[in-house]
Amino acid sequence: MGFRCGIVGLPNVGKSTLFNAITAAGARVANYPFTTIEPQVGAVAVPDDRLKKLETIFKPPSVLPTTIEFVDIAGLVKNASKGEGLGNQFLAHIREVDAIAHVVRCFQNDDVMHVEGAVDPQRDIGIVETELMLKDLETVERKFHETEKKSKSGEKKIKQEVGFYERLKAHLSAGKSVGSFSQHEDEKELLRDLHLLTKKPVMFIANVDEGGLLKGNQHISIVKEIAVRTGATIAVIDADMEAEIASLSYDEREEFLRDLGLSESGLDKVIHGGYELLHLITFFTHNEKELRAWTIPRGTKAPQAAGVIHSDFERGFIRAEVIKYADLISCGSEHAVKEQGRFAVHGHDYIVEDGDVILFRFHV
């Protein structure tokens, strides 16, 4: 399943530096490949130490991590919703992603011009959010007028839809995002079909210099306050530093991070943050050819999880034979897990949990 996180922000905030660092580093996961799907899209491995431990148990010829896609979206400028700059292209690309990684400049550097003249995270975030909201308002207004014309037929359902779009239009006109809009159960599908931009989950990426990374600064504090207020997540990184260490070998990067007193790279924070933002979990499968991690949304049932591997697995699903990751590590082998009775067989209603090692049984 392709999960996409769009990297957005004003020009010169470090978006492309971050994206290029991601592509060069291959997500800082040893021996796992980075794939460029098209010029502005990169699929990167989700760092997961559990894979390394499972590899020592199963000793497969091949290990395949799960991935998440990052899209480097053209820089946004004020009035993008009206087509300024690359606005229409920018907004169309955001519509195609599952979540937004909003890069905010939180460093001072006279050599790097700020498009608005000075560093001001609150203003910069406001510009991006306003443009997304204006585009959503345009979408809703268009749908409202279309539905209003149809309502002249007198059909009760269409009249109710008009009321829904009218409420949503008023909400956006008041400067509120779709995320804070309350809808009835029977209206959720109408909202989903609009594919509105401000409904997408957001992760703020505070791009700092080395001093900001190690000691923090007032700009970071402002972004954190906004994240708390809006329900977004936040990652603090130094994109320039990430670009530098991306060229190092895996062991050199690990040593570099240790010397700085950091437990993980900024890139790992962003990748994990995107994974968590989309409420994704990982399950594992293995056979004589490979050990593999798979991505699914939290709450996915076993047949649908099997369908991620192949549609035939979902159609012909019989059962899921499940071993918990923690049990496998503590027992040391699949055989020992079964001997100790920690092996379980589940049917169609089983909800897959993060870290499950699963063998799916199905009929063709």
Side-chain angles (χ1 to χ4, degrees):
M1 298 176 74
F3 295 96
R4 286 190 163 193
C5 196
I7 302 175
V8 308
L10 299 179
N12 295 339
V13 296
K15 293 186 300 78
S16 293
T17 302
L18 172 64
F19 181 79
N20 292 337
I22 289 174
T23 64
R28 200 175 63 84
V29 180
N31 302 319
Y32 296 153
F34 165 83
T35 306
T36 300
I37 298 170
E38 50 188 273
Q40 78 278 18
V41 182
V44 294
V46 175
D48 194 331
D49 289 337
R50 293 175 299 185
L51 267 179
K52 297 173 188 174
K53 293 178 180 177
L54 291 174
E55 185 177 9
T56 63
I57 292 174
F58 296 124
K59 299 179 173 57
S62 174
V63 178
L64 296 173
T66 189
T67 61
I68 188 168
E69 291 180 4
F70 284 91
V71 185
D72 184 18
I73 296 174
L76 181 73
V77 294
K78 197 178 288 185
N79 296 320
S81 58
K82 299 175 183 175
E84 290 291 324
L86 293 173
N88 290 329
Q89 176 186 338
F90 172 95
L91 295 163
H93 283 158
I94 295 180
R95 205 175 295 282
E96 296 169 1
V97 302
D98 300 297
I100 294 172
H102 183 168
V103 181
V104 184
R105 180 167 166 177
C106 292
F107 64 89
Q108 301 284 355
N109 187 337
D110 294 337
D111 295 330
V112 181
M113 182 191 75
H114 192 292
V115 70
E116 291 294 322
V119 177
D120 184 341
Q122 186 159 345
R123 178 207 57 213
D124 295 352
I125 289 171
I127 289 172
V128 173
E129 290 183 340
T130 298
E131 294 306 320
L132 298 184
M133 213 173 292
L134 288 172
K135 195 64 179 179
D136 280 350
L137 182 58
E138 178 188 309
T139 300
V140 173
E141 285 179 335
R142 187 168 59 247
K143 189 68 176 179
F144 169 72
H145 292 307
E146 287 175 6
T147 312
E148 192 177 35
K149 287 178 184 177
K150 293 178 183 177
S151 70
K152 292 176 182 177
S153 67
E155 189 178 332
K156 184 180 177 182
K157 183 181 178 185
I158 295 179
K159 283 188 174 181
Q160 289 174 337
E161 289 181 10
V162 171
F164 165 75
Y165 295 126
E166 194 167 27
R167 282 179 20 242
L168 182 53
K169 184 161 69 82
H171 182 86
L172 289 165
S173 296
K176 300 174 184 176
S177 73
V178 178
S180 61
F181 178 71
S182 59
Q183 71 269 198
H184 306 304
E185 190 64 35
D186 58 354
E187 296 174 331
K188 289 184 177 179
E189 189 174 348
L190 292 175
L191 184 61
R192 190 164 51 246
D193 289 346
L194 289 169
H195 303 290
L196 298 178
L197 306 176
T198 59
K199 192 175 186 299
K200 297 182 184 295
V202 175
M203 170 174 55
F204 289 118
I205 300 176
N207 187 18
V208 300
D209 53 21
E210 186 175 343
L213 183 66
L214 300 176
K215 299 177 183 178
N217 61 41
Q218 61 181 0
H219 300 311
I220 300 170
S221 299
I222 291 170
V223 178
K224 285 182 177 178
E225 288 172 11
I226 294 172
V228 169
R229 188 171 70 245
T230 60
T233 58
I234 181 172
V236 180
I237 73 157
D238 178 349
D240 284 336
M241 179 186 293
E242 296 297 330
E244 288 177 22
I245 68 174
S247 61
L248 302 175
S249 69
Y250 178 79
D251 290 338
E252 287 172 331
R253 290 177 213 168
E254 293 295 305
E255 184 178 354
F256 185 91
L257 292 170
R258 279 197 301 272
D259 289 345
L260 287 175
L262 301 174
S263 59
E264 63 178 349
S265 74
L267 298 183
D268 285 357
K269 288 179 188 175
V270 172
I271 294 162
H272 282 137
Y275 204 67
E276 292 168 11
L277 188 64
L278 291 167
H279 305 292
L280 306 176
I281 63 169
T282 299
F283 73 90
F284 305 98
T285 60
H286 76 95
N287 54 35
E288 66 279 358
K289 294 181 180 178
E290 66 181 28
L291 164 67
R292 185 160 184 169
W294 303 88
T295 299
I296 54 172
R298 190 176 299 279
T300 299
K301 291 186 177 180
Q304 287 68 52
V308 174
I309 301 172
H310 197 288
S311 57
D312 287 348
F313 285 25
E314 181 175 358
R315 281 194 297 269
F317 178 87
I318 299 173
R319 64 179 182 272
E321 299 176 1
V322 181
I323 295 175
K324 298 298 178 187
Y325 170 79
D327 289 339
L328 192 55
I329 296 304
S330 64
C331 294
S333 73
E334 196 169 13
H335 178 72
V337 169
K338 292 178 179 179
E339 275 196 333
Q340 294 186 29
R342 300 188 191 182
F343 169 81
V345 176
H346 297 285
H348 288 74
D349 291 334
Y350 177 68
I351 296 175
V352 176
E353 297 181 355
D354 187 47
D356 280 354
V357 181
I358 307 177
L359 173 63
F360 291 106
R361 300 290 185 183
F362 68 102
H363 55 75
V364 179

